[in-house]
Amino acid sequence: NKEEDVNLGVRAADTALSIDQTDPFAHFARGRISIFRADHEKSISAFKRAISLNPNYALAHFGLAHGLLHAGHPAEALPHHDEAMRLSPHDPIQWAFLASKAIALIMVERLEEGIALSQDAQRSNESHLFVYLAEVSGLGNLGRKTAAADALNRLEKVQPGISLAFIEQSLPMAESDGKSRFLRGLKLAGMN
């Protein structure tokens, strides 16, 4: 049960923080789990605290970028995506940094850049559904029906039966023009 898992994550992060308030990873964990609760202010605050404790913590910069994106502030997220990638250029989850930044680029109407970055993320990890989302949305928004259908087909091979409802549940974003643009592109590409 997802709600039980999220509640377990909250308790674990809170326990870690009660043990050591100066542990940047504990703050990162609290920020990450707060995203799943759509508690955007708490997630952003936790990631900022992690960065204040360790300014060179690439994962905290990625977390802050992801938190800002979910809170409806994709333009503010972009520099933190870049900082995470600068600090850890060979990070094993570089694909996630790229995929998250690609979605932020789609949200701020930098569609071509978002598509290209999404394709870069796919070269790093073609087995995770999030690496395809910006490409599908960007192509949908640009009205490139054939290319969008191809990208959606590749996504559906990774996540059969993917839907807009699944995306909204998996990416609990605050209502914003950027979120609307992102979801509209997925729908225009053919996602139901």
Side-chain angles (χ1 to χ4, degrees):
N1 175 319
K2 182 180 177 186
E3 187 175 338
E4 289 175 13
D5 291 344
V6 169
N7 289 336
L8 179 62
V10 168
R11 288 193 301 277
D14 287 347
T15 298
L17 287 168
S18 73
I19 293 168
D20 186 358
Q21 282 283 323
T22 64
D23 181 357
F25 182 78
H27 290 280
F28 169 82
R30 189 60 170 101
R32 188 80 177 128
I33 202 69
S34 295
I35 287 175
F36 292 108
R37 279 194 150 172
D39 189 345
H40 305 301
E41 287 183 33
K42 187 169 274 191
S43 75
I44 291 167
S45 175
F47 293 129
K48 285 182 176 180
R49 179 70 176 131
I51 291 168
S52 75
L53 291 166
N54 181 355
N56 295 315
Y57 189 15
L59 206 51
H61 284 279
F62 167 66
L64 181 55
H66 211 59
L68 288 164
L69 179 140
H70 278 79
H73 307 293
E76 291 176 48
L78 292 170
H80 294 285
H81 285 111
D82 292 338
E83 185 67 0
M85 290 185 273
R86 185 190 71 76
L87 289 168
S88 190
H90 304 292
D91 201 291
I93 63 163
Q94 185 74 236
W95 62 269
F97 297 178
L98 295 170
S100 180
K101 181 177 180 184
I103 291 170
L105 288 166
I106 297 302
M107 292 173 74
V108 298
E109 294 187 277
R110 292 168 56 185
L111 303 177
E112 296 289 354
E113 290 175 79
I115 292 166
L117 210 55
S118 181
Q119 292 166 341
D120 286 348
Q122 291 167 44
R123 284 188 277 282
S124 298
N125 181 342
E126 63 184 27
S127 66
H128 201 286
L129 70 107
F130 291 112
V131 299
Y132 296 91
L133 293 176
E135 179 187 20
V136 173
S137 178
L139 291 168
N141 275 309
L142 289 170
R144 296 182 190 161
K145 294 185 183 296
T146 303
D150 176 61
L152 182 58
N153 184 48
R154 285 183 280 114
L155 168 57
E156 288 175 335
K157 287 180 181 172
V158 173
Q159 182 71 40
I162 193 163
S163 66
L164 291 170
F166 175 84
I167 297 300
E168 288 202 72
Q169 181 183 8
S170 300
L171 297 172
M173 294 184 200
E175 293 303 319
S176 69
D177 290 342
K179 176 184 177 180
S180 297
R181 182 174 303 108
F182 172 66
L183 294 175
R184 181 180 60 244
L186 296 175
K187 187 172 184 174
L188 290 169
M191 189 181 293
N192 297 313

